Amino acid sequence: MNPRRYTFYLIILVLLFLIPIIVFNFYIDPANLFKSSIYEKKIAALLLQNKNIANIVTYKEKLTQKYIIYETQNFPEVLAFGSSRMGIIDRDFFPNKTFFNHFVTGNTIEDMLAFYGFYKIKNPNYKPEIIIMGLDAWLLNPQYRQNFLETATPLEDGINKGRELIHLTPLHFNKSNLSKYLELISFDYLKASWQDWKKIHKKQLKNSYFITEEKIGEFSIKRSDGSYVYPKKYREMNDTEKQKLMNKYISREYLSGYDGFKELDQEQANIFDSFINYLVNTEHVKLIFYFPPNHNVVYNELKNNLSKYKNFFLAEDYFLSIAKKYNIEIIGDYNPEKCGLNETNFYDPSSHIKIDFIHQAFKKCS
């Protein structure tokens, strides 16, 4: 075959392979590189108007938190930081105090630092009375640090303000147009797009949210205080469906959040220590560490496979040592039995506790 013709066909073949990937990544755009952020701004605005929002499907959680903080005129006395396991915590846990829950799915230490940094940018004099931190063991998994960097660009100002507060040099994010457009052919970006597409496809309508007076109902509800309630279908999942989810969950090579957890991330541990030191000794904030209980089956899997999950327990020991070092109140426990919980008290294998039982976990367990 003529070399030029061969090159031509090769180029055509590569383009035929890449064009669908480019179009798909551009359309889904999981990191919001190419789309406006109107959707997230509208959600933030409604929450700040003290509205509950039902049926939010797929949105950029971290970007929404940024807009909430930047646009707020009221600075809460109590802040909550953590993962979706913290999502159900609402203002009722802190009566007579203003409250906002800044949980995000797959929360990291630097997410918490960034959100606090945004508050200090917005109002340098702001100091909350209380911060409740949900501490999942995966916070010290180096793999989670990598996951954070892939979604961190919208948080750059908050991250670097937070780093300034604890005397760390700023992070520099690559903002070049070349880097941005290379994401369109990135396999990692394709994976993120695929995950977002599945969420959109599953729930069908991307922009179908609406304001509601309900605090719990048929649809998922993002409450005006930032807390979250699962839809009725999820809350009332039958035992057969739950067992299918559990079988799938524990059949993986590693439980979710613990893949690549071969050692504690010392850099993140140091950042956490510095952040806690700053909050306690400079800001004089009362801190509460919440250890979210794991589903009983999941906890037994962790406990019975120490060769794979020893760092889960080392992370727990580390957070306990920080609590002792700074005399911080501890509530909850990774071990569900210590909080009087059994497997029927959870919605799913991901250890989201049912709304009727969260009060058992959100206290000092023994």
Side-chain angles (χ1 to χ4, degrees), residues 65-340:
Q65 299 298 339
K66 173 182 176 179
Y67 291 139
I68 289 168
I69 297 168
Y70 270 0
E71 298 302 324
T72 191
Q73 299 302 317
N74 302 302
F75 295 90
E77 295 165 302
V78 182
L79 298 177
F81 297 144
S83 71
S84 58
R85 296 178 182 180
M86 279 280 291
I88 203 168
I89 305 303
D90 64 13
R91 59 168 62 97
D92 292 342
F93 285 85
F94 299 93
N96 304 316
K97 292 188 180 294
T98 55
F99 168 88
F100 200 89
N101 189 337
H102 288 288
F103 86 91
V104 291
T105 303
N107 171 67
T108 69
I109 289 168
E110 284 172 297
D111 287 327
M112 297 188 281
L113 182 64
F115 297 151
Y116 198 77
F118 282 132
Y119 271 113
K120 299 303 278 189
I121 293 172
K122 174 72 175 181
N123 181 357
N125 296 318
Y126 169 58
K127 296 179 182 179
E129 290 182 24
I130 302 170
I131 294 179
I132 171 77
M133 290 184 172
L135 301 180
D136 296 284
W138 66 60
L139 291 173
L140 295 179
N141 182 352
Q143 183 62 49
Y144 249 73
R145 161 70 172 172
Q146 185 59 40
N147 295 343
F148 165 80
L149 291 174
E150 292 171 4
T151 60
T153 302
L155 304 184
E156 180 177 3
D157 292 345
I159 293 166
N160 284 332
K161 181 61 178 179
R163 291 177 68 90
E164 176 191 320
L165 296 173
I166 59 175
H167 308 295
L168 293 177
T169 56
L171 295 178
H172 297 287
F173 294 83
N174 191 341
K175 293 183 177 179
S176 71
N177 284 332
L178 176 61
S179 175
K180 170 181 170 179
Y181 286 105
L182 283 176
E183 291 292 352
L184 290 173
I185 58 173
S186 161
F187 181 67
D188 286 337
Y189 209 67
L190 178 62
K191 287 194 295 183
S193 294
W194 175 250
Q195 292 303 318
D196 272 13
W197 181 84
K198 286 195 295 184
K199 294 175 186 176
I200 295 168
H201 181 71
K202 185 176 180 181
K203 299 184 180 181
Q204 296 182 339
L205 296 176
K206 186 172 183 177
N207 296 308
S208 57
Y209 66 82
F210 57 91
I211 296 170
T212 180
E213 296 295 322
E214 293 182 318
K215 293 184 68 176
I216 183 169
E218 181 180 355
F219 297 94
S220 63
I221 296 175
K222 181 78 170 175
R223 294 172 175 172
S224 60
D225 62 5
S227 61
Y228 178 84
V229 178
Y230 285 96
K232 181 178 180 180
K233 183 178 179 180
Y234 202 80
R235 297 195 313 270
E236 298 181 0
M237 192 186 313
N238 63 45
D239 292 342
T240 301
E241 291 173 318
K242 287 182 182 179
Q243 190 58 52
K244 284 181 181 178
L245 281 179
M246 179 58 73
N247 292 342
K248 183 178 180 180
Y249 191 86
I250 64 174
S251 66
R252 302 168 180 166
E253 183 179 0
Y254 285 91
L255 296 174
S256 179
Y258 303 109
D259 186 17
F261 202 176
K262 298 178 181 178
E263 59 184 357
L264 296 188
D265 190 326
Q266 195 56 53
E267 180 183 0
Q268 292 305 295
N270 291 339
I271 290 173
F272 184 75
D273 192 346
S274 298
F275 187 29
I276 299 304
N277 181 54
Y278 169 78
L279 291 173
V280 171
N281 293 320
T282 302
E283 297 285 86
H284 304 292
V285 175
K286 177 184 177 181
L287 295 182
I288 301 172
F289 283 177
Y290 172 53
F291 287 72
N294 288 264
H295 189 290
N296 300 66
V297 174
V298 173
Y299 187 78
N300 288 334
E301 182 76 11
L302 291 162
K303 185 174 63 175
N304 295 331
N305 291 278
L306 289 179
S307 60
K308 291 170 66 174
Y309 300 119
K310 67 176 182 179
N311 287 303
F312 170 90
F313 296 97
L314 292 178
E316 180 182 28
D317 290 341
Y318 172 78
F319 290 133
L320 289 171
S321 73
I322 294 294
K324 183 177 181 180
K325 178 178 179 180
Y326 295 103
N327 194 29
I328 295 168
E329 179 184 352
I330 295 172
I331 59 176
D333 197 285
Y334 289 160
N335 183 346
E337 292 184 1
K338 289 187 177 182
C339 296

